[in-house]
Amino acid sequence: KLFCMDAHGLFTVPPRTNPDALYIYGVLACGSWLAVYLANPGIVNAETFQDMKALYPYDQVIFVSGKNCPTCKQPKLPRTKHDSLIGACIARYDHFCGWTGNAIGLYNTNRFCLFLLVHLTMLIHGSALCAEIVYARMLSLIDGGYTYIPTNERITRMSIVIAFSAEPTLCLFLFVLILTALVVGGFLFFHVSLVSSNITTSESAKWSPINKACADYLKEHGRSYGSMLQQLAEKEALETATPLQHVPPFHA
């Protein structure tokens, strides 16, 4: 035995939460999943092409006019990307989510964030319940005057090793819940920051090497961002043999 007194009946500590919360969480989890799974992510086809075309302009950097989707064979609109799993171009394409079985795009990004929020809330609540049960178990051992036999250590509320020895399954489950909550929370924070910046995961990956090249240029030449853009505009005008229109000065 790990403890020098009989611990019979001490490890069943009922969690102090309303059982109805399980049904509420079940409805919210399934409902948020279905909301993402069943939603049209923003499919671009013959019926929706004109409406999608008016949404975003070409930036002529990562979204260049005059190109066709190699799969759909239709003009490639700004902020669209072909998803092979969906079999169509998706407006404001972010990524394909294997958990929801659908692409995340123009019409279901907000639902996807809600899906993450619901599951993050469940994970936090579950972690709190597991921590409460383990903590109550430790209090029961303290109140009963138990001693940890392997080290003859007096049990305290902060004895991590003793807590794991008393409730190994719950402690392991608590660790998994906390780790998963951190991952889901970080993913939710990442997507909220993208939405607030009006950019997608796909676009962020495309802009990353461009931003790095700009940063390297500034570091090497010590010039402002505006002067660099001015030079690129002049170079493009010369290469295309078109008269350069007046470009307003940029300032860093």
Side-chain angles (χ1 to χ4, degrees):
K1 290 184 178 181
L2 292 173
F3 305 99
C4 63
M5 292 181 64
D6 185 12
H8 176 70
L10 288 179
F11 75 51
T12 55
V13 181
R16 292 176 302 207
T17 186
N18 193 327
D20 292 339
L22 298 177
Y23 300 104
I24 295 174
Y25 280 143
V27 171
L28 290 177
C30 293
S32 61
W33 177 81
L34 284 173
V36 180
Y37 175 74
L38 298 176
N40 173 12
I43 296 176
V44 180
N45 51 32
E47 292 75 19
T48 63
F49 182 83
Q50 293 300 325
D51 293 335
M52 298 296 185
K53 183 178 180 181
L55 290 177
Y56 306 108
Y58 289 99
D59 58 17
Q60 304 302 339
V61 180
I62 62 174
F63 300 113
V64 182
S65 57
K67 291 186 176 181
N68 293 334
C69 173
T71 306
C72 295
K73 307 304 180 183
Q74 64 181 355
K76 188 172 179 61
L77 298 179
R79 309 192 73 179
T80 63
K81 184 177 180 181
H82 187 88
D83 191 301
S84 58
L85 296 176
I86 299 296
C89 282
I90 308 298
R92 203 181 180 278
Y93 179 83
D94 191 277
H95 70 286
F96 183 88
C97 177
W99 294 105
T100 60
N102 197 0
I104 307 302
L106 176 65
Y107 294 137
N108 63 352
T109 298
N110 54 346
R111 301 183 183 190
F112 178 69
C113 290
L114 177 62
F115 170 80
L116 294 177
L117 179 61
V118 168
H119 285 78
L120 177 60
T121 303
M122 293 172 58
L123 290 168
I124 293 175
H125 192 183
S127 300
L129 291 179
C130 287
E132 179 185 6
I133 294 174
V134 174
Y135 184 65
R137 168 73 158 133
M138 297 300 294
L139 291 181
S140 299
L141 293 174
I142 294 172
D143 294 340
Y146 291 85
T147 303
Y148 188 54
I149 293 177
T151 60
N152 198 28
E153 179 183 352
R154 179 177 177 272
I155 299 175
T156 66
R157 301 182 183 186
M158 301 302 294
S159 301
I160 304 296
V161 175
I162 298 176
F164 188 82
S165 300
E167 297 288 349
T169 303
L170 273 178
C171 287
L172 182 61
F173 192 49
L174 174 60
F175 173 77
V176 173
L177 284 176
I178 293 176
L179 182 62
T180 309
L182 290 175
V183 173
V184 174
F187 201 46
L188 175 61
F189 177 79
F190 173 70
H191 275 277
V192 170
S193 64
L194 289 179
V195 171
S196 63
S197 302
N198 193 24
I199 194 172
T200 66
T201 303
S202 177
E203 294 167 0
S204 177
K206 292 178 180 179
W207 276 111
S208 180
I210 298 176
N211 291 333
K212 184 179 183 303
C214 293
D216 293 340
Y217 182 92
L218 294 176
K219 183 178 180 180
E220 180 180 356
H221 299 279
R223 300 178 64 184
S224 67
Y225 227 158
S227 62
M228 180 184 64
L229 295 177
Q230 183 83 10
Q231 184 182 29
L232 291 175
E234 294 172 355
K235 181 179 179 181
E236 181 181 358
L238 291 175
E239 290 177 351
T240 56
T242 56
L244 177 65
Q245 302 296 325
H246 172 69
V247 179
F250 290 84
H251 300 283

